[in-house]
């Protein structure tokens, strides 16, 4: 059987081909799965998709009509998939429920320190042989307060790094993580966390209840010189409200690896075509903002785990097993 994989990055392709070689053939495409590209999947029983694929009812109907029966998504998040429609069409859907939490946690800290110590501005200056320090002053993290929204595996890893810096830890989640409590984390309500934290990092999934969890009110509740980092899902932050606060001169820094309207932009080269998204265009002009293109997970370790799990999900499907990563089970025959 040949598997069709959409949205494969150049670095990923040899890893995917090697992982599948002893099980199935795999055809890797660099294009993402959308309504326009879905017809390419005709004749493929199993396809694999990336986090920025669009699997709405139109795409799913096209896939089902073309003979696709199984979708193996190479990500933890699945808010891009209409699971109800997939189930109605008899499509099996699986995801990657776990990969290295350190990849995302470490990158979140990379963003935090990049904006805190003005690394991008400093690098751009030195390229022009401008070695002044004006405007490059940051702050020690030691003794300051880190607020962690979401203390699962990634949030815990982020908190451990913050603990290593010597920071006070505040946490917010539906349930306390004993490992974080052992680090000295105090669980508080969201309003208190936002009001007291010098650094706020987001590590919650994107659900209806967490959509725009950082909205206009939440942003106003934060310290004027706070640092905000989002390496989870773009929809957690109301970007228009964030731009409004940034225009008024608030926040020491903002590091974003995700953006709520990133589909159709991130992972693509738009340098010649230009970007029509006025909000994103305005966001990247602020000197205290760093935006990266959803790369927090992108390490050899994490991507390797994602691919290995995807292969196992495919094997479970072909061998009639229901694995732990299944979101929509195989329809009964």
């Amino acid at each position: 059987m040949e598997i069709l994989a959409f949205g494969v990055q150049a670095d990923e392709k040899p890893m995917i081909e090697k992982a599948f070689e002893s099980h199935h053939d795999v055809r890797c495409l660099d294009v993402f799965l959308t309504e326009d590209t879905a017809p390419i999947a005709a004749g493929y029983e199993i396809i694999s998709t990336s986090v920025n694929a669009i699997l709405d009812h139109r795409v799913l109907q096209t896939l089902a009509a073309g003979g696709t029966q199984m979708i193996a998504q190479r990500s933890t998040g699945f808010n891009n998939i209409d699971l109800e429609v997939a189930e109605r069409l008899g499509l099996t859907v699986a995801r990657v429920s776990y990969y290295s939490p350190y990849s995302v946690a470490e990158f979140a800290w990379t963003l935090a320190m990049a904006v805190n110590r003005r690394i991008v501005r400093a690098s751009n200056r030195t390229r022009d042989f401008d070695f002044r320090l004006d405007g490059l002053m940051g702050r020690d993290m030691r003794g300051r307060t880190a607020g962690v929204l979401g203390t699962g595996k990634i949030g815990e890893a982020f908190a451990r790094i913050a603990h290593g810096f010597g920071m006070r830890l505040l946490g917010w989640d539906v349930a306390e993580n004993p490992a974080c409590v052992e680090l000295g984390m105090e669980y508080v309500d969201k309003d208190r966390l936002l009001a007291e934290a010098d650094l706020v990092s987001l590590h919650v999934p994107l659900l209806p209840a967490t959509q725009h969890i950082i909205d206009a009110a939440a942003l106003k509740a934060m310290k004027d010189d706070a640092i905000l980092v989002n390496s989870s899902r773009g929809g957690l932050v109301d970007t228009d409200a964030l731009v409004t606060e940034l225009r008024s001169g608030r926040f020491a820094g903002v590091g974003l690896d995700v953006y709520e309207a990133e589909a159709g932009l991130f992972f693509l080269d738009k340098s010649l075509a230009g970007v029509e998204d006025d909000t994103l265009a305005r966001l990247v002009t602020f000197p205290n903002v760093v935006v990266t293109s959803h790369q927090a997970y992108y390490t050899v370790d994490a991507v390797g785990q994602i691919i290995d799990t995807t292969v196992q999900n495919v094997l479970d499907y072909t061998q009639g097993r229901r694995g732990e990563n299944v979101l929509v089970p195989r329809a009964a025959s």
Side-chain angles (χ1 to χ4, degrees):
M1 182 184 298
E2 186 175 45
I3 315 300
L4 181 63
F6 285 93
V8 177
Q9 303 295 316
D11 297 329
E12 293 177 293
K13 184 177 180 181
M15 299 173 68
I16 291 176
E17 291 175 339
K18 182 176 181 180
F20 271 104
E21 66 182 358
S22 60
H23 306 291
H24 298 286
D25 294 329
V26 60
R27 178 188 174 195
C28 294
L29 303 178
D30 58 2
V31 298
F32 295 96
L33 179 60
T34 65
E35 187 174 0
D36 292 332
T37 61
I40 300 173
Y44 288 90
E45 181 179 344
I46 302 173
I47 67 165
S48 178
T49 59
S50 62
V51 66
N52 268 12
I54 300 172
L55 290 105
D56 57 17
H57 69 281
R58 290 183 296 273
V59 170
L60 293 172
Q61 287 169 350
T62 300
L63 293 175
T68 297
Q69 296 182 37
M70 194 265 182
I71 299 167
Q73 175 138 303
R74 303 188 307 278
S75 73
T76 298
F78 52 89
N79 53 286
N80 61 320
I81 308 173
D82 190 327
L83 297 180
E84 291 184 2
V85 172
E87 184 174 14
R88 189 166 67 246
L89 293 171
L91 296 169
T92 300
V93 181
R95 62 153 178 168
V96 176
S97 58
Y98 174 85
Y99 60 84
S100 168
Y102 310 107
S103 60
V104 179
E106 290 171 6
F107 194 83
W109 266 106
T110 301
L111 288 174
M113 294 308 294
V115 295
N116 176 41
R117 301 307 299 268
R118 314 291 191 255
I119 298 300
V120 174
R121 180 186 290 186
S123 178
N124 289 338
R125 280 187 185 179
T126 56
R127 286 178 181 272
D128 293 330
F129 301 104
D130 177 354
F131 301 106
R132 294 172 300 158
L133 298 182
D134 297 346
L136 301 183
M137 186 175 288
R139 297 178 293 177
D140 290 1
M141 289 290 102
R142 181 176 180 80
R144 288 189 161 81
T145 299
V148 187
L149 288 171
T151 56
K153 291 182 175 65
I154 296 173
E156 178 189 332
F158 183 91
R160 289 188 181 279
I161 298 171
H163 182 261
F165 272 106
M167 300 186 76
R168 171 184 175 230
L169 298 175
L170 295 180
W172 177 88
D173 209 327
V174 294
E176 295 185 3
N177 182 337
C180 291
V181 174
E182 287 184 12
L183 293 173
M185 176 177 284
E186 180 183 1
Y187 279 85
V188 297
D189 60 54
K190 187 182 71 170
D191 290 342
R192 181 181 164 193
L193 183 151
L194 294 174
E196 296 184 14
D198 299 291
L199 165 62
V200 175
S201 191
L202 309 182
H203 301 288
V204 296
L206 181 59
L207 304 168
T210 60
Q211 177 77 27
H212 285 180
I213 192 171
I214 301 299
D215 57 10
L219 291 165
K220 290 185 182 300
M222 292 173 62
K223 293 182 177 181
D224 288 343
D225 61 352
I227 293 171
L228 173 65
V229 174
N230 186 11
S231 57
S232 184
R233 287 292 181 268
L236 299 177
V237 176
D238 183 337
T239 317
D240 289 328
L242 176 60
V243 168
T244 297
E245 295 302 311
L246 287 165
R247 289 179 63 184
S248 66
R250 300 190 64 227
F251 304 130
V254 175
L256 303 175
D257 185 53
V258 287
Y259 173 60
E260 59 182 323
E262 69 182 52
L265 292 174
F266 282 19
F267 304 145
L268 300 172
D269 182 0
K270 295 290 186 177
S271 59
L272 296 179
V275 173
E276 296 180 358
D277 187 322
D278 292 336
T279 302
L280 179 60
R282 183 70 180 95
L283 188 64
V284 299
T285 64
F286 291 103
N288 58 333
V289 174
V290 172
V291 178
T292 52
S293 55
H294 206 140
Q295 70 181 82
Y297 77 99
Y298 206 55
T299 67
V300 170
D301 312 87
V303 172
Q305 290 174 327
I306 289 169
I307 292 170
D308 288 345
T309 300
T310 301
V311 171
Q312 186 58 54
N313 289 343
V314 169
L315 292 177
D316 285 343
Y317 168 82
T318 57
Q319 295 172 15
R321 297 189 299 266
R322 177 173 178 174
E324 61 182 359
N325 298 309
V326 171
L327 298 170
V328 179
R330 189 169 190 168
S333 56

